[in-house]
Amino acid sequence: MALTEVAPIVTARLRHPDSHTLERYLATGGYDGLRRALRMEPEQVAEEVNAASLLGRGGAGFPAGRKWSMLRKAPVRYLVVNGDESEPATFKDHLLIERDPHAIIEGTLIAAYANQVTQAFIFVRGEFALGLERMQGALNEAYAHGAVGRDIFGSGFSVDVVLHPGAGAYIAGEETGLLESLEGKRAFPRIKPPYFPAAIGLYGEPTVVNNTETMANLPWIVQHGGHAFAALGQGSSTGTRLFALSGHVRRPGNYELEMAKTTFRDLIFAPVLGGGVRGGRQLKAFIPGGVSAPWFGPDQIDLPLSQDEVGKAGSMLGSGSVVVMDDQTCVVRAAWRIVRFFYRESCGQCTPCREGAGWIEKVVRRIEEGSGREQDLDLLLDVCDNISPGLSWPPQQTTICVLGPSIPSSIVWAIRMFRDEFLVHIKEGACPYG
Amino acid sequence: MARLTAETVAQARELMSLYPDSRSALVPICHLAQAQEGWLNPEAMEHIAEIMELTPAEVLGTASFYEMLRTEPVGRYMVSVCTNIACLLNGGYELLEHAEERLDISVGATTPDGMFTIEEAECIAYCDRAPCLQVNHRFFGPVSDERFDTLVEDLASGRLDDDVPPHGVLCRVRREGGLAVPAEQVRAERAAADQARDERAAAAQAERS
């Protein structure tokens, strides 16, 4: 499979060092999509996004257009843009927020118009200090330019956009946790049903929650038409997508690629992309879509970067982050660090998640430190099974939100793929990789 | 000094006015208050409660949930070393160990001169620059042991004062511009526009049939 020559959609502007300024934004076609949208009926704008089949870029991959179509009719409606990017090894929204904030704002305004919302909020992860400065700076510029606020570009459409900072909580990225956080509370995910904030969201009103990268695609979709976007990619995976590549590769970074037309092999090994495994080592395993995803081995490397294909193969494209592990990686330690993350970030509402993550973390740590017991692997799988019965993919859920069922992935797949390595740790009380 | 300054109070009131429910401003206001002394002392939280018409327990209840909001004093520079998966694979724990040795404190502690606190951070979304860290939430990476030592010297001598402002990620964030009309007016206009569109659609429908 060859790399396709598709012009970038969300990273086109980033070659300019001043890509975050209004001046550069306007010089590169900025706010033309919004002007065009404002001349259309809101329903037409939504129809273009539907035609684009734009899958949400946050992690769940739910079609943005369908999310919008579920929005309950009401006098007050909200839009919340999720820029709380915290999935480990995912760093694409971070890039867009710092380097192209106007594109996110323009997308937000297009979505606000299409859904006729009364107020919009851009929620940016608190740790992105520069991102918060850049986003507010861009909003200030956009207000002065007449692109946001009262009577936008003389269209009669008015909407206020408020930048809201997070304060360090992975769970605030879950959409109902995000809404709780935005309401000034602990970011506890809400009990479902209602399943979608489109019915009952922020302050109990119908709310659209979309990811940052999803927003950044909207100006292009309005300008070029939904069908042009849908012509890129394959099947349900349309358009381009940012893939955040990290770990043991020569050239880690964000790469915008046409969906489904590129494989993991291309992403990891192509000289213009990942450039191969570092230090001339071999590929041991990779995580295809954020640390909530089941791992893949080298035998899966020719899978295309397609939501459907990766799903069928038993994992997910998730947040679009790919972590590469070389043949010297201690998988016990890697799996331990991932479960430790979930343990620290569990909000504590549901027993399987709060207690399960803690026990798994302790047991894997003791294996890693050389004090493991023979029955530990069965114990681990049993605890995992209590969190997500059946240990299947997509996972069963025993908790309010999907953080719970994300916990077993790394542990279960690491054990299934590298059982011998766990046993060496247990039997010899030491790590073969030192 | 423990209570909020007049300027912070003014900013807090401005933030409260941006939301349909003023409680939404609680987290941003905590960020602002934290800029004063680096942490949310009890007096500051009481003052926030007073301004927002909440109880101090409600303020603490929210603040204590979030990693970035501190209810204990910290040093002038919060050094957050990431050890999550991408950094783990690139020497994040070795960097954390070096940081502990160089500053002669362990994770969670503050140097006796009050300059540095070290914490072990979860992924800070800078994975292509692993191993990475933040100082007062400003990014640095990739960080070798030598780069860490230089960074510490530069911070201590004040050479990085412009790049690494004090605590409070909102200390350089100020909103300019806004709706300029009451939110109710936007809602009324929206309702009128919705109705006009429905009527147009109904008329078009009638014409077709």
Side-chain angles (χ1 to χ4, degrees):
Chain A
M1 208 177 266
L3 294 178
T4 57
E5 290 294 328
V6 169
I9 294 175
V10 295
T11 55
R13 205 167 281 112
L14 305 193
R15 61 197 162 87
H16 303 286
D18 60 349
S19 58
H20 60 285
T21 63
L22 180 66
E23 195 183 347
R24 176 63 65 190
Y25 195 64
L26 293 176
T28 48
Y31 291 110
D32 288 350
L34 174 62
R35 286 179 187 275
R36 193 186 169 96
L38 291 170
R39 288 194 298 269
M40 297 158 69
E41 287 291 328
E43 293 79 6
Q44 286 176 288
V45 178
E47 194 36 58
E48 289 302 329
V49 176
N50 246 333
S53 308
L54 172 64
L55 301 177
R57 300 301 198 232
F62 194 82
R66 208 188 308 160
K67 228 178 195 182
W68 292 6
S69 70
M70 296 187 306
L71 191 65
R72 182 164 57 87
K73 271 211 163 226
V76 176
R77 272 171 279 183
Y78 297 111
L79 167 68
V80 179
V81 177
N82 187 345
D84 192 47
E85 183 173 65
S86 312
E87 180 76 15
T90 311
F91 49 101
K92 63 183 184 73
D93 294 341
H94 181 195
L95 175 78
L96 295 177
I97 290 165
E98 278 185 7
R99 302 289 312 284
D100 206 354
H102 280 288
I104 297 162
I105 294 168
E106 186 178 0
T108 301
L109 292 164
I110 291 169
Y113 177 71
N115 292 291
Q116 291 287 297
V117 304
T118 40
Q119 196 171 5
F121 300 89
I122 299 179
F123 190 115
V124 169
R125 185 174 171 187
E127 286 90 341
F128 296 168
L130 179 63
L132 285 160
E133 286 168 15
R134 289 263 173 95
M135 185 59 80
Q136 188 61 60
L139 269 172
N140 293 347
E141 285 181 321
Y143 271 107
H145 184 63
V148 54
R150 179 89 185 119
D151 190 20
I152 296 172
F153 295 144
S155 65
F157 179 75
S158 305
V159 73
D160 188 28
V161 179
V162 171
L163 171 67
H164 186 89
Y170 171 65
I171 199 57
E174 197 268 359
E175 64 180 4
T176 62
L178 186 84
L179 298 178
E180 288 288 307
S181 187
L182 186 45
E183 289 183 7
K185 304 170 194 159
R186 299 164 86 89
F188 283 161
R190 293 177 181 170
I191 291 171
K192 288 92 179 161
Y195 290 99
F196 295 100
I200 299 174
L202 188 64
Y203 314 120
E205 304 291 354
T207 305
V208 172
V209 183
N210 279 147
N211 169 261
T212 307
E213 186 188 350
T214 310
M215 290 296 103
N217 277 292
L218 296 181
W220 192 96
I221 290 172
V222 169
Q223 283 285 55
H224 298 80
H227 290 290
F229 191 85
L232 302 173
Q234 206 160 47
S236 72
S237 295
T238 62
T240 64
R241 189 170 176 181
L242 271 174
F243 290 94
L245 181 66
S246 66
H248 294 138
V249 281
R250 283 204 184 86
R251 291 163 41 91
N254 278 301
Y255 297 103
E256 183 177 356
L257 301 169
E258 184 178 359
M259 281 185 86
K261 297 289 177 67
T262 313
T263 62
F264 286 103
R265 184 189 295 280
D266 297 327
L267 177 62
I268 297 167
F269 287 97
V272 292
L273 303 176
V277 180
R278 246 181 15 205
R281 288 184 176 161
Q282 300 296 307
L283 176 69
K284 182 170 190 169
F286 62 101
I287 312 176
V291 297
S292 306
W295 297 7
F296 278 161
D299 54 321
Q300 308 272 37
I301 197 165
D302 289 311
L303 276 172
L305 297 166
S306 142
Q307 185 160 305
D308 296 338
E309 297 293 322
V310 174
K312 267 187 257 170
S315 187
M316 65 170 179
L317 217 44
S319 60
S321 82
V322 178
V323 182
V324 173
M325 294 181 256
D326 72 17
D327 53 11
Q328 297 297 302
T329 306
C330 172
V331 292
V332 180
R333 191 163 163 79
W336 162 74
R337 186 59 186 84
I338 292 170
V339 79
R340 175 176 149 81
F341 165 77
F342 287 119
Y343 172 49
R344 285 180 78 178
E345 295 296 335
S346 172
C347 82
Q349 284 190 105
C350 310
T351 313
C353 174
R354 181 189 64 240
E355 303 299 321
W359 281 109
I360 295 170
E361 192 271 339
K362 280 188 187 68
V363 175
V364 181
R365 180 153 41 103
R366 106 175 147 210
I367 296 174
E368 209 270 321
E369 287 172 351
S371 317
R373 303 164 195 175
E374 239 181 271
Q375 63 274 29
D376 276 351
L377 296 190
D378 288 339
L379 177 62
L380 282 173
L381 293 174
D382 187 42
V383 177
C384 286
D385 187 71
N386 282 326
I387 299 173
S388 181
L391 303 180
S392 53
W393 190 265
Q396 298 290 314
Q397 193 167 325
T398 55
T399 48
I400 292 171
C401 85
V402 294
L403 192 149
S406 300
I407 298 166
S409 297
S410 54
I411 301 301
V412 172
W413 268 263
I415 292 176
R416 283 178 184 167
M417 292 166 75
F418 304 102
R419 195 179 185 95
D420 291 351
E421 218 170 283
F422 278 83
L423 290 174
V424 169
H425 276 82
I426 292 168
K427 286 180 184 146
E428 294 176 14
C431 176
Y433 302 106
Chain B
M1 229 347 248
R3 282 169 69 87
L4 273 50
T5 63
E7 200 202 336
T8 308
V9 172
Q11 276 180 274
R13 295 205 188 281
E14 202 179 308
L15 283 171
M16 286 164 68
S17 73
L18 299 179
Y19 299 90
D21 179 343
S22 62
R23 172 154 182 170
S24 286
L26 179 52
V27 167
I29 290 172
C30 286
H31 277 303
L32 286 180
Q34 200 160 262
Q36 290 186 198
E37 290 175 18
W39 68 293
L40 291 167
N41 57 53
E43 291 83 359
M45 284 192 275
E46 275 167 34
H47 197 183
I48 292 170
E50 209 176 291
I51 297 164
M52 299 192 74
E53 296 180 16
L54 299 170
T55 65
E58 284 174 307
V59 175
L60 176 62
T62 293
S64 60
F65 184 80
Y66 295 96
E67 206 68 32
M68 289 174 73
L69 303 178
R70 320 278 176 194
T71 49
E72 300 284 336
V74 293
R76 178 180 166 90
Y77 294 112
M78 173 57 84
V79 180
S80 315
V81 181
C82 176
T83 57
N84 206 306
I85 187 72
C87 284
L88 171 98
L89 298 174
N90 285 287
Y93 274 103
E94 290 75 5
L95 174 61
L96 181 63
E97 210 168 292
H98 176 76
E100 289 179 309
E101 275 168 30
R102 172 65 182 76
L103 296 174
D104 198 21
I105 49 173
S106 43
V107 170
T110 301
T111 51
D113 62 358
M115 281 297 268
F116 298 97
T117 301
I118 306 178
E119 69 172 354
E120 182 185 354
E122 291 299 346
C123 182
I124 48 176
Y126 206 50
C127 319
D128 51 347
R129 311 283 180 89
C132 59
L133 57 80
Q134 288 194 315
V135 181
N136 292 356
H137 301 293
R138 306 289 153 162
F139 288 94
F140 295 91
V143 181
S144 61
D145 289 358
E146 296 70 34
R147 179 130 192 248
F148 184 84
D149 296 347
T150 314
L151 180 60
V152 165
E153 282 157 31
D154 287 347
L155 287 164
S157 66
R159 279 193 291 274
L160 286 174
D161 281 359
D162 288 341
D163 301 317
V164 184
H167 296 288
V169 290
L170 298 186
C171 62
R172 291 179 177 177
V173 176
R174 285 308 289 269
R175 178 176 152 112
E176 293 158 21
L179 204 49
V181 292
E184 291 73 35
Q185 194 173 325
V186 172
R187 291 178 187 184
E189 285 173 12
R190 197 60 39 79
D194 280 352
Q195 201 185 338
R197 250 195 326 278
D198 287 350
E199 281 165 14
R200 278 204 303 279
Q205 182 78 31
E207 211 163 281
R208 275 200 295 276
S209 60

